[in-house]
Every structure is written in C-alpha cells, then in structure tokens.
Amino acid sequence: MKKILSIAMTLVLVLSLASCGGDAKKEEKPAESKKAEEKAPETTKAPEKEEKAEEPVEQMVFKMADNQPADYPTTLGDLEFARIVEEKTNGRIKIEVYHSKQLGEEKDVIEQVQLGAIDFARVSLSPMTEFSPSLAVLALPYIYSGSDHMWKVLNSEIGDDFLAGLSDSGFVGLTWYDSGARSFYNSVKPIKTVDDLAGLKFRVQPAELMVDMVEALGASPTPLNYGEVYSAIQTNVIDGAENNWPSYNTSSHYEVAKYYTLDEHLRVPEIVIASKSTLDKLSPEDVEIIKVAAKESTKLQRDEWNKKVEESKKVIADNGNEVIELSDEEKAKFAERMAPVWEKHAGDYKDIIEKIQAMK
Ligand code: GTR
C-alpha cells in the first residue's frame, strides 16, 4: 500500500512537471534545447488509484509550429485545429501550438517536421517547394485569376492530390489556409511599372522559385528568413520585400518600407503539414480525426483572414504609406516576364496547368 502511494505521488509529480513544460505561452526555451527534445509523442499515464483496476487513458501530446504571431489568422486556424482534435478524441490527443517562430524559422521547422522532431506545422507553400518541387505548380506567379479561382483549385482533386503527394517526402499534407496575394514593398520609391523594379534588392523566401521570380522581373533577390527582414530593410541591406497585407502589417515591415505596389504577383497558399513518422505511430481512426479536423479548421482561418486583411489595410493607411494600384495592362506586363519561371519550375506539369487554367 505504502509503495503504491509513493508510486502514485511520483507520477503526480512527473505529470505536473510535464504539464508545466507544455505551456507554449509562458515558456521561452532556447531554440537548441527545443530541437534536441524528445522525438516520439509524449505519453503520460494517469496515476493508478490504489487497487482500482481501471484501464489508464494514454494522453498524447504533440507540438505544432507556426511562425506568425498569436492573433494571426494562421495561428487562430492552428488553435481551432487543435481544439477540434482534442474535442473529438475526448482529450486523448493534445496539440500544443507554438506560434511566433518559437520552434524556429520556417525552413528549419519544415526540416524538423520531415525528421519527426516537430509533429505539425503551418507553413507557406513557397519553402515547401524545396522539399517537394512539384508543389511549384500551385505557387506559380499569376497562375490564378483571383482568390475564388485559387480556392476552386485547392478544394478540387488537384489540391487533394498535392496534399497526398507529400507523403513521398516524409510529410502528410492536411489542409490549405488562405494567404491572399503577395505584392512588392520597398523603402526607395513608388514602383509603378515593371521596369521600376530594375536593380532593386528584394528579400525573397528561401526557395529557388522565388529567387527566379525576382530575377525574371529584373530585380535582385536576397533569400532571407522572415525574422531577419525588418532589420535588413532598416539598415538598407535590402530595399524591400514582398508579402500580403496581414504580413506587411504584423511584421511591421510597413514601418521601414512605405511604398506598397499591388502587383499581386503570387497567391501562395499556406499549408498545414504533419510529420509522416508521427502519424505512422497513430491508429487509422486517429489519423482520420486529425485529417478531418484540419480541413474543418480552414473555415475559421479563412474568416479570420478576411478580417485581418481589412484591419491591416487600415493600419497601413493610417500610417500614411503610399499604396500603388496597377492597371490590368501593367499587371499583364509583370505576368509576361514570368514565362521562364513557368518553364523551369513547371515545364513537366503542363497537363495539370491546363486543368488549373480551365477552372478560371
Ligand atoms: C507569410 C507567411 C509566413 C512566411 C512569410 C515569409 O505570408 O505566412 O509563413 O512564409 O510570409 O515571407 O517568409
């Protein structure tokens, strides 16, 4: 009896330590120690009470990474995903969301997910093209006529096939989130024509596709992590970058790059991924719950996205930034320059591209 009591007390202590360690909001661990953390899902067993022969319920705790802040639409989507999973498994599966790049910059996070050191992540499709090159089809400059067209494609068999195809690279693609359209901003001058980009230095996401795109426009690309962009613009290491309204706002890049040209060269969706090695350890029923929950969370994410776009436009207008609209003719000139990028990155996928274009 005494022995059982002392085992129970030790378990209670272990449990309370484990739950302290899992508090994503309060915890700020050095990146190194995070990387070295346990790869397998953390499992904790409820302490056995005295002689009672009840089957202990095993709780699984997983980590999910996002590089955007706590109130950003993607993080809100992640939290909704985690909430649905927890609800549908009666608390058996818990997903802790680490926002604001607490688990590292995007490309490192993707590598960690591939290795199974991080279980889930919400990332941009651009850096994913480095791990699964065919995804470039969905991130080609000017491939979509607008948001409706993009969502029609992502919600079709084409989108599902791309999610499923990720298993060859060690991921499970779960769902898509909105990321609007990306446009150029800079600290030097208002860009009104494609020729105005000549010679300017723009930060790009670390992906060959993005490097090639900026080169095709006659500008000079600098791949950098997202977290390094603000100070690089501020210190004139680069002249600007490109992103959607909510990122331009929440990263505070609008403070150091006041000219925003709405050329909308890219619609790169966000993607929610899981580590294949994590999901391989779960039952097919649990994997199904996770897949359905992720898809369900997209609705909330898209609603939050639309709100954040409006809020961001206001913040940027109130700051007195110069926002430059382009005519359809001028946008067409940007698009014409992209031919070599399409050829290099999607030359082998002409049939899928035709299908996408037929869905306009
Ligand atoms: C944002 C995206 C981030 C990151 C960032 C970037 O739109 O949400 O995940 O990819 O762009 O430009 O690095």
Side-chain angles (χ1 to χ4, degrees), residues 9 22 28 48 99 147 155 220 227 314:
M9 279 173 69
E28 275 298 344
E48 286 154 69
H99 54 78
S147 175
N155 287 332
S220 170
K314 191 169 177 321

Side-chain angles (χ1 to χ4, degrees), residues 67-68 72 106 122-124 179 182 203 205 226 242-244 247 270:
N67 65 355
Q68 295 285 13
Y72 195 86
E106 200 156 53
R122 186 293 310 164
V123 294
S124 165
S179 193
R182 297 175 76 100
R203 173 270 176 171
Q205 292 166 294
Y226 192 43
E242 43 84 57
N243 224 313
N244 49 50
S247 289
E270 314 276 18

Side-chain angles (χ1 to χ4, degrees), residues 61-306:
V61 183
F62 296 111
K63 289 188 168 66
M64 176 163 195
D66 197 307
N67 65 355
Q68 295 285 13
D71 62 346
Y72 195 86
T74 54
T75 307
L76 299 176
D78 305 338
L79 290 169
E80 174 69 354
F81 165 52
R83 186 193 67 74
I84 300 172
V85 170
E86 201 169 335
E87 184 181 282
K88 290 197 176 170
T89 59
N90 294 320
R92 214 167 24 79
I93 300 183
K94 190 170 161 56
I95 298 172
E96 294 176 337
V97 177
Y98 290 77
H99 54 78
S100 311
K101 57 180 158 56
Q102 292 175 76
L103 298 186
E105 289 280 4
E106 200 156 53
K107 206 159 173 202
D108 300 332
V109 161
I110 298 172
E111 274 166 16
Q112 302 277 317
V113 172
Q114 195 177 38
L115 294 171
I118 295 176
D119 308 296
F120 297 92
R122 186 293 310 164
V123 294
S124 165
L125 195 69
S126 307
M128 281 300 288
T129 59
E130 294 285 295
F131 296 80
S132 181
S134 67
L135 286 176
V137 170
L138 297 180
L140 286 175
Y142 296 107
I143 189 160
Y144 307 110
S145 59
S147 175
D148 289 350
H149 181 208
M150 182 187 80
W151 279 104
K152 211 163 150 189
V153 173
L154 297 180
N155 287 332
S156 73
E157 217 176 58
I158 298 177
D160 287 343
D161 286 351
F162 274 108
L163 290 177
L166 280 172
S167 62
D168 297 344
S169 337
F171 306 100
V172 178
L174 295 176
T175 195
W176 310 103
Y177 282 172
D178 209 345
S179 193
R182 297 175 76 100
S183 292
F184 286 103
Y185 46 80
N186 81 95
S187 62
V188 180
K189 59 179 183 186
I191 305 295
K192 295 183 175 157
T193 70
V194 67
D195 293 329
D196 290 339
L197 290 167
L200 289 180
K201 276 184 266 159
F202 287 101
R203 173 270 176 171
V204 289
Q205 292 166 294
E208 201 181 329
L209 175 67
M210 300 301 135
V211 169
D212 293 340
M213 182 199 67
V214 166
E215 266 172 4
L217 291 168
S220 170
T222 306
L224 273 183
N225 284 326
Y226 192 43
E228 293 158 345
V229 181
Y230 185 95
S231 68
I233 300 177
Q234 196 177 34
T235 55
N236 298 320
V237 170
I238 50 172
D239 298 313
E242 43 84 57
N243 224 313
N244 49 50
W245 285 101
S247 289
Y248 182 41
N249 168 18
T250 57
S251 62
S252 302
H253 294 173
Y254 72 96
E255 291 172 4
V256 286
K258 69 173 195 178
Y259 304 107
Y260 192 30
T261 298
L262 303 179
D263 61 288
E264 303 193 322
H265 51 270
L266 288 174
R267 280 185 187 274
V268 189
E270 314 276 18
I271 181 169
V272 177
I273 50 170
S275 174
K276 190 168 179 303
S277 67
T278 296
L279 292 202
D280 282 349
K281 291 179 197 131
L282 301 183
S283 69
E285 293 76 22
D286 283 346
V287 172
E288 190 56 21
I289 289 177
I290 285 171
K291 287 187 171 171
V292 171
K295 287 267 182 195
E296 282 180 20
S297 70
T298 293
K299 188 187 169 328
L300 180 136
Q301 193 276 339
R302 291 186 62 187
D303 290 347
E304 293 296 333
W305 180 260
N306 293 333

